[in-house]
Amino acid sequence: MLKDTVDITGGESIAAYQGLLVTGSLDGNLVAFDKHNFSIRWSVPCPPNSHGIQCRILGLRSVDENTLYGVEEHCRLFRYRDGLWTWLLDENNAALKNLKPGLFNDLVVVGNMVYITDSFQHNPTKHPLQRFFSFENSGRILGYNLENGEIGTIAEGLYLPNGIELHSDNQSLLIAECSMYRISRLDIATKQIRSFQAHTYGAVDNIRRSKDGGYWVGISATRFTSSFWSLPDFLALHPKFRSLLTNKVFLPLILLYHGIFGSGPALYKMDGEGNPLRIVIDENKLTNTIAFSQAHETDRSLFVGTPFAGKVFIFPNLY
């Protein structure tokens, strides 16, 4: 079913901007490409932070044809409009420093609020994959007020929250808890969290609404198959093995295992109640990646980002 690709490495999140599609590349650029012939139109570097560290854009949202909001991995929030970068949150923000964020992963803009997934609290001694396999629940949803610049914690105790999306009721948020293989629902008014989809097809990476009211979910590691043991599922049942394997020595071997024996990345669509409607699994590994991230619908095609491969993938007529 794969239609075509765009040569961009590490383009996870995709958004519309001035008639084009844009994504963030692994080398720290904001890259725009044509949604019809898939050619790259322009690429601009995302400014490094005050310590000179190059950023990587992980989440993007367009609020109108000329305005983007985005987050990058070093816990910065920006607005991009007509070539101008405006940093709304960065490492010099005192209130943000006090929150000790670890990794900004995705965002959604609702009125004058920007809701951000902070996947885990800052801990320089731990690799992000260690957080994934050890089932750490230090993840949070942060809320930034565009009017007064205030930042605060909306929800906490989450298991590596990654993608976030506004539910069609416009009163709640859907949160992809990546390491727990589930999607939770956060009531914006009460800040109460409840289950939305308790058992997903794998490690849920991102969520985006479909034009017909459903949701596309990207999977970065599928679960058990007849010939494949899902290590997160296995480690959840065996804490002693979990403490042994979740260190920097074994992490490359874990990734290699998933790459060789895994059943490939997946996308699935669900309705407004969390019921699955269809699933697309790259069982033949045509995409040569272990992860799908965010899906973006446009012109009867589905553009799919990935954190690892050197491509943005285009699937035809999937919705």
Side-chain angles (χ1 to χ4, degrees):
M1 296 180 67
L2 184 64
K3 178 180 179 181
D4 213 325
T5 61
V6 184
D7 292 329
I8 301 172
T9 301
E12 291 198 41
S13 188
I14 303 167
Y17 180 73
Q18 296 184 343
L20 302 171
L21 296 180
V22 293
T23 188
S25 64
L26 186 62
D27 58 3
N29 289 332
L30 181 66
V31 184
F33 59 95
D34 193 295
K35 60 186 177 183
H36 301 294
N37 62 25
F38 317 136
S39 62
I40 294 177
R41 298 287 292 275
W42 50 259
S43 177
V44 295
C46 178
N49 65 17
S50 60
H51 303 297
I53 300 174
Q54 184 61 59
C55 76
R56 181 185 178 188
I57 299 168
L58 295 181
L60 283 169
R61 291 284 183 168
S62 55
V63 294
D64 58 50
E65 186 68 11
N66 299 303
T67 307
L68 290 171
Y69 285 92
V71 291
E72 64 100 353
E73 60 182 339
H74 298 294
C75 302
R76 293 191 295 169
L77 168 69
F78 66 85
R79 180 174 60 237
Y80 184 82
R81 181 184 294 149
D82 296 327
L84 178 64
W85 300 83
T86 302
W87 294 99
L88 305 174
L89 287 173
D90 61 19
E91 64 279 4
N92 298 313
N93 184 288
L96 183 62
K97 279 184 179 180
N98 290 334
L99 292 173
K100 297 181 180 179
L103 177 73
F104 280 5
N105 225 323
D106 196 22
L107 76 163
V108 63
V109 183
V110 183
N112 67 338
M113 292 296 297
V114 181
Y115 297 100
I116 303 167
T117 54
D118 179 27
S119 292
F120 41 75
Q121 285 190 287
H122 180 67
N123 185 338
T125 65
K126 278 192 173 183
H127 189 279
L129 283 175
Q130 287 179 280
R131 265 81 183 275
F132 177 88
F133 287 106
S134 62
F135 302 96
E136 181 180 316
N137 68 334
S138 67
R140 298 170 293 182
I141 304 300
L142 304 182
Y144 175 79
N145 191 308
L146 290 169
E147 293 184 351
N148 59 27
E150 292 182 355
I151 177 77
T153 300
I154 304 299
E156 55 190 352
L158 301 172
Y159 292 83
L160 212 157
N162 195 333
I164 187 170
E165 181 59 291
L166 179 67
H167 190 272
S168 57
D169 67 1
N170 293 321
Q171 298 177 8
S172 57
L173 303 171
L174 300 180
I175 303 162
E177 290 191 81
C178 190
S179 62
M180 195 52 72
Y181 285 21
R182 71 185 180 192
I183 297 173
S184 297
R185 186 170 180 174
L186 168 65
D187 186 285
I188 294 174
T190 66
K191 300 182 181 180
Q192 296 298 308
I193 295 179
R194 61 185 188 275
S195 177
F196 183 75
Q197 194 175 67
H199 304 286
T200 64
Y201 293 100
V204 281
D205 193 296
N206 215 315
I207 310 171
R208 286 296 186 268
R209 281 169 70 171
S210 171
K211 293 180 180 179
D212 64 6
Y215 306 87
W216 282 104
V217 181
I219 296 295
S220 58
T222 48
R223 307 189 85 143
F224 286 109
T225 67
S226 59
S227 60
F228 174 66
W229 270 14
S230 167
L231 281 178
D233 281 320
F234 174 78
L235 294 175
L237 301 173
H238 300 85
K240 291 184 178 179
F241 283 104
R242 183 170 64 204
S243 61
L244 173 66
L245 291 178
T246 54
N247 60 63
K248 293 181 181 180
V249 176
F250 284 98
L251 287 175
L253 297 178
I254 291 174
L255 287 177
L256 181 63
Y257 170 80
H258 272 270
I260 294 175
F261 298 106
S263 59
L267 285 170
Y268 72 93
K269 193 174 185 180
M270 60 181 180
D271 65 18
E273 300 303 319
N275 302 307
L277 300 175
R278 66 177 303 177
I279 183 168
V280 180
I281 301 177
D282 182 17
E283 293 182 296
N284 296 321
K285 300 185 180 179
L286 298 176
T287 57
N288 195 31
T289 182
I290 64 172
F292 283 155
S293 185
Q294 184 217 307
H296 179 90
E297 287 181 353
T298 181
D299 294 342
R300 300 298 299 170
S301 292
L302 201 63
F303 290 77
V304 181
T306 174
F308 301 116
K311 308 281 186 182
V312 170
F313 301 104
I314 302 109
F315 295 90
N317 304 320
L318 285 180
Y319 62 96

